[in-house]
Amino acid sequence: MATQNQTIDLTEAIWTEIIARLPLRIIARFKLVSKTWKSTIESVYFRRLFVSVHRKSSTSWSLMWYGLKDLIGFHGCETWGLPKSLSFYIPSSLYIVAASSHGLVMISEYDHACCFVGNPVLQQWIQIPPAPGYSSVLGLVTRVDDYGFVLGFKVVRLAEMRPTNNDVSGTLSVFLYSSETGIWTSKIIHCPCGITNTASLTLDGSIYFHHLREPGLLAAYDFYSEYSDQFRVIPLPDHPNHGFNHNFKGALTTSHGFFMYIRTLAQSSSNVFKAWRLNNDSSWLLLWNIALPLLIGDYLPMAMHPFDSDTVYLWSQNNRHVVSCNLQTQKNRILGAEDNDDDHLDCFLNQPICEECMDEICRYKISVRLLQLVLPRWMESALCPPQVEMIDTSSLHSYVKSMQETRRRNWNQ
């Protein structure tokens, strides 16, 4: 009997290893085979095994401008086995993409009155109840475990931003909606530097503001920290030279789960590219300091690849195209070029939106901050708060259309 049980256990272990190497779309079907398979696939062990064996697999992701349209969409996805990028599964005709974190997406109406958080691929959405009083969407932050799996999320809405100390500093009054409690709470956060624009970037549980009264600084706040009501102020590296060199271009982005600051400096014979990673102690680690001799002229950094810190995407202001650059090999590819090889056959480039976006950034001389929309690495359901009903995409569409029609009738009366 012991031998038979050992054989069964060995067979199950082999099948588990085989199934973990399949795309998520296929694995989801195995959950319907039996309760045993469902239990195995939903186990923490299987989830970690899948992420481990697919660590180098491609996943669909997009770069978006103001959450409205893709600039670049990569739609080849071995992890899920899906033919489209994540934005394809979002009903964007009615909403804007307000934020994204670890595969969860927050969409809102154009006036930010109503918002939803969900997993577009699984077509699961949660309606976030209205915040008390008027407020605008600031972001979506998540609490994750060591493997990057989402344990909870918070929706952050701004109620008021008030300058203090003659505009030198400021306070933010925010509303927070927690997936764990299903209720709104309020919080006042103090910032020693005045925030001039609420455009922000979020990563895990933190939000980062970079439009401050004093240039060359970031203001960061961790919404899962219970012990502080103060923003951290983080100096950007190499800042003293920023104001004296108009060839300098910078961007804020994320890669491999880290907040990144990247920049280019145009020189006569090359572009110098630098990339820093923000550490937990607010120090910066210089990852790249490299000359790119094949890239001559004004190149603006757009973003790092979310899962490959060797790859950066740059916008050529002179030639008006997007370049993908492998920093290890210095191999460059012009995205959307007809004579490209197979490297970017799974890439969609929205040339008009790219030009509009990058022209505006150049015109106002602002740091590049694009939204990275990334498919989740695992088929996690959207976390449903207490006493909240989950709806699918078609129901969401019908609900919002009905709500908008009711508003129109009320306005016309």
Side-chain angles (χ1 to χ4, degrees):
M1 179 65 69
T3 304
Q4 184 179 356
N5 287 341
Q6 289 173 355
T7 303
I8 293 173
D9 290 345
L10 180 60
T11 302
E12 288 182 354
I14 293 172
W15 273 109
T16 300
E17 290 282 342
I18 293 173
I19 292 173
R21 282 157 172 76
L22 299 174
L24 281 174
R25 187 171 60 169
I26 296 176
I27 291 175
R29 298 172 190 167
F30 282 92
K31 293 172 66 173
L32 305 176
V33 172
S34 67
K35 291 182 179 179
T36 302
W37 276 115
K38 185 175 186 294
S39 176
T40 299
I41 291 170
E42 291 179 349
S43 68
V44 174
Y45 168 77
F46 185 86
R47 185 175 64 178
R48 292 177 177 175
L49 174 64
F50 175 86
V51 171
S52 176
V53 299
H54 285 266
R55 195 169 299 279
K56 295 185 178 180
S57 299
S58 65
T59 187
S60 295
W61 66 284
S62 303
L63 276 179
M64 300 191 80
W65 174 238
Y66 285 139
L68 296 174
K69 293 182 180 179
D70 284 352
L71 279 75
I72 310 170
F74 295 90
H75 49 77
C77 182
E78 298 167 6
T79 305
W80 277 87
L82 297 173
K84 300 291 184 180
S85 60
L86 182 56
S87 59
F88 175 82
Y89 302 93
I90 298 172
S92 56
S93 59
L94 294 176
Y95 323 98
I96 61 171
V97 179
S100 178
S101 181
H102 283 279
L104 285 181
V105 173
M106 180 166 66
I107 57 178
S108 73
E109 294 183 276
Y110 289 91
D111 60 0
H112 296 280
C114 182
C115 65
F116 300 82
V117 172
N119 184 323
V121 179
L122 298 181
Q123 299 193 21
Q124 297 174 338
W125 297 95
I126 300 154
Q127 182 181 359
I128 306 300
Y134 174 78
S135 59
S136 58
V137 174
L138 267 187
L140 174 72
V141 294
T142 49
R143 183 166 64 90
V144 298
D145 64 14
D146 294 338
Y147 290 85
F149 300 120
V150 178
L151 302 175
F153 70 82
K154 289 183 179 180
V155 174
V156 185
R157 297 188 72 113
L158 176 66
E160 182 186 18
M161 184 167 65
R162 186 165 54 86
T164 57
N165 193 22
N166 293 324
D167 271 0
V168 173
S169 56
T171 61
L172 268 67
S173 299
V174 299
F175 294 118
L176 304 173
Y177 179 84
S178 169
S179 64
E180 297 171 18
T181 63
I183 61 173
W184 287 98
T185 57
S186 61
K187 191 176 184 71
I188 295 177
I189 316 168
H190 303 278
C191 185
C193 295
I195 298 172
T196 59
N197 189 309
T198 57
S200 61
L201 188 148
T202 60
L203 179 65
D204 299 342
S206 296
I207 192 166
Y208 299 84
F209 294 104
H210 58 99
H211 292 292
L212 307 179
R213 293 280 177 202
E214 186 177 346
L217 299 175
L218 284 176
Y221 185 78
D222 182 357
F223 285 98
Y224 281 95
S225 170
E226 302 295 332
Y227 306 106
S228 174
D229 62 356
Q230 298 283 335
F231 276 91
R232 289 181 295 144
V233 175
I234 306 166
L236 290 172
D238 279 8
H239 173 67
N241 296 325
H242 290 186
F244 304 100
N245 196 327
H246 296 293
N247 294 323
F248 159 84
K249 304 292 187 300
L252 303 174
T253 183
T254 62
S255 183
H256 272 304
F258 288 96
F259 187 90
M260 305 279 292
Y261 174 58
I262 59 178
R263 72 172 213 188
T264 55
L265 181 62
Q267 297 182 340
S268 59
S269 59
S270 68
N271 260 268
V272 174
F273 175 80
K274 289 187 177 183
W276 291 266
R277 186 182 76 191
L278 183 62
N279 296 321
N280 292 332
D281 62 359
S282 298
S283 65
W284 294 96
L285 175 64
L286 181 62
L287 297 181
W288 291 101
N289 182 3
I290 185 173
L292 304 173
L294 296 179
L295 301 179
I296 300 173
D298 283 334
Y299 279 85
L300 280 72
M302 299 176 72
M304 299 292 289
H305 191 290
F307 301 111
D308 180 6
S309 53
D310 290 348
T311 303
V312 63
Y313 298 90
L314 307 165
W315 171 255
S316 171
Q317 211 172 332
N318 303 103
N319 302 311
R320 305 185 73 73
H321 58 225
V322 178
V323 174
S324 165
C325 179
N326 184 302
L327 299 169
Q328 284 280 7
T329 64
Q330 294 213 6
K331 184 180 178 182
N332 303 321
R333 290 288 180 270
I334 298 174
L335 272 59
E338 294 181 2
D339 57 348
N340 246 346
D341 56 20
D342 320 315
D343 285 0
H344 293 303
L345 290 178
D346 60 353
C347 171
F348 165 76
L349 176 68
N350 193 331
Q351 184 69 24
I353 296 297
C354 272
E355 294 189 9
E356 178 185 347
C357 162
M358 302 312 291
D359 284 348
E360 184 167 342
I361 287 170
C362 294
R363 186 181 309 118
Y364 292 104
K365 296 181 173 60
I366 56 177
S367 296
V368 182
R369 183 196 58 85
L370 302 176
L371 176 63
Q372 289 172 309
L373 204 60
V374 182
L375 274 168
R377 304 291 276 180
W378 178 250
M379 50 185 174
E380 287 183 287
S381 296
L383 297 166
C384 201
Q387 301 179 341
V388 173
E389 184 178 349
M390 194 176 292
I391 59 178
D392 60 27
T393 298
S394 59
S395 301
L396 169 67
H397 219 65
S398 300
Y399 172 79
V400 173
K401 280 188 172 180
S402 172
M403 185 170 58
Q404 291 176 344
E405 184 58 37
T406 301
R407 284 182 192 158
R408 276 193 288 269
R409 284 199 300 267
N410 291 338
W411 288 335
N412 292 333
Q413 288 179 353

